[in-house]
Amino acid sequence: MTLNLRTPAVGPTIALVVAVVVFSVTTSTFLELDNLSLVVEQSLVVGTMALGQTLIILTAGIDLANAANTVLATLLMAKLVVGGAPSWLALLAGLAVAAFIGGVTGGLVTRVKLPPFIVTLGLLTILTAVSRIYTGQSVPVTDPLLSWLGTRRYLFGGIEVTYGMTVAVIMYVVLWYALTRTSWGKHVYAVGNEPEAARLSGINVRRTVLSVYLIAGLIYGIAAWQALGRVPNADPNAYQTGNLDSITAVVLGGTSLFGGRGSVLGTLVGALIVTVLRSGLTQAGIDDLYQNVATGVLVIAAVALDRFSRGRQR
């Protein structure tokens, strides 16, 4: 069996391994179990938002409002519980609202035929304002159901994991299967690659794209639940760069911004690359501003490489 270097996830995986090796050599604490567990935990919420972002980018769209959607869902869950609503009802309401916002986005893209960039840019502004109007301050979360995904367990006596990590792994596996083993997944790739050809082949392009935005919205709702598990505090100012971080993870994971090419497994690797880079540079004493510069350079390089590889394939 040979390794196919053209597989989208191969390059990011090699980059992740190189980053881990470099930081293991240049710092004394990077390979400690506690630090590795923290790296995975830090990538959890953004990695989940990136999962929904991947689906949208595969259809040649983009979602600039995913983090704002997630934050609004955390606030809704927390405020409902504080107001006396049952925690299960608050959780379902948060998931439903996040999915509804995804559906509205998909409807504007498919029915009104507005560009995804414009739709989600507008929704980013609206949802950010609504969150701050809804509650101008953070809301502490003490309910055990809303913070359940933050419950910690230890594997093999020393590896710390949370239920949120387990849920994320399950979601990645389910969506990997859906995209690679079902007709729906084939339709998603076909629409992203060439929508007109997909339509002529009998694929319902509108329904496929709408389903992608609905599922992405639901995923953002689950990311909100994970966020409350990681930090039991709903803050209207949280995840202000979450949309850009999720796009960064998707792009570094090998998914093409031009649609039709990529994988959720690559996105998982991309999310880990972002977190490993920040963790390693922090431990090496590099200022946050320089870390942002390094991340930006990586994103531009990844998009340029994708553009170059697509040009060579034509």
Side-chain angles (χ1 to χ4, degrees):
M1 183 177 179
T2 59
L3 179 64
N4 186 1
L5 294 177
R6 297 196 177 198
T7 301
V10 171
T13 302
I14 295 173
L16 177 61
V17 171
V18 170
V20 170
V21 170
V22 169
F23 290 129
S24 299
V25 173
T26 56
T27 65
S28 59
T29 59
F30 188 82
L31 275 184
E32 292 181 358
L33 286 179
D34 288 344
N35 183 66
L36 293 178
S37 178
L38 180 61
V39 165
V40 175
E41 187 177 352
Q42 288 175 338
S43 68
L44 183 62
V45 178
V46 169
T48 300
M49 288 192 289
L51 186 58
Q53 187 78 257
T54 301
L55 294 178
I56 293 173
I57 290 179
L58 281 175
T59 63
I62 199 164
D63 192 349
L64 298 177
N66 60 344
N69 191 352
T70 297
V71 169
L72 180 60
T74 65
L75 294 171
L76 179 62
M77 294 176 189
K79 286 278 284 185
L80 286 176
V81 168
V82 169
S87 56
W88 62 267
L89 181 61
L91 176 60
L92 290 179
L95 296 175
V97 167
F100 173 76
I101 293 171
V104 170
T105 306
L108 291 172
V109 171
T110 58
R111 298 294 177 181
V112 188
K113 297 188 182 302
L114 296 177
F117 181 88
I118 299 300
V119 172
T120 58
L121 179 60
L123 279 173
L124 167 62
T125 305
I126 293 170
L127 296 178
T128 300
V130 168
S131 293
R132 293 173 181 172
I133 292 171
Y134 185 50
T135 173
Q137 58 187 6
S138 60
V139 182
V141 175
T142 58
D143 182 82
L145 176 60
L146 294 187
S147 59
W148 181 73
L149 291 183
T151 304
R152 302 176 186 278
R153 291 290 184 267
Y154 290 87
L155 294 179
F156 311 112
I159 303 176
E160 185 179 80
V161 297
T162 66
Y163 290 154
M165 294 178 189
T166 304
V167 169
V169 169
I170 292 173
M171 286 195 297
Y172 268 90
V173 171
V174 169
L175 278 179
W176 168 82
Y177 180 86
L179 285 172
T180 60
R181 297 292 187 270
T182 68
S183 58
W184 175 81
K186 294 177 181 177
H187 292 173
V188 170
Y189 280 103
V191 168
N193 191 51
E194 184 53 65
E196 183 60 22
R199 185 187 67 81
L200 292 175
S201 68
I203 296 174
N204 190 323
V205 174
R206 285 184 177 180
R207 185 170 63 189
T208 300
V209 173
L210 180 60
S211 70
V212 162
Y213 280 91
L214 277 169
I215 294 171
L218 178 60
I219 291 172
Y220 303 150
I222 296 174
W225 190 17
Q226 291 174 328
L228 293 178
R230 185 168 185 270
V231 179
N233 192 58
D235 185 353
N237 297 311
Y239 298 103
Q240 293 187 5
T241 62
N243 54 353
L244 300 181
D245 289 340
S246 67
I247 294 171
T248 299
V250 173
V251 171
L252 292 182
T255 296
S256 173
L257 280 175
F258 308 104
R261 181 177 182 270
S263 71
V264 295
L265 298 183
T267 295
L268 176 60
V269 175
L272 290 174
I273 289 175
V274 173
T275 312
V276 164
L277 184 65
R278 292 190 179 277
S279 176
L281 291 177
T282 298
Q283 293 182 44
I286 305 300
D287 187 87
D288 286 349
L289 294 176
Y290 291 106
Q291 295 180 27
N292 292 336
V293 170
T295 303
V297 169
L298 280 177
V299 172
I300 293 173
V303 175
L305 181 61
D306 174 57
R307 185 77 173 186
F308 176 73
S309 64
R310 275 182 171 259
R312 291 191 62 183
Q313 290 173 9
R314 290 179 178 177

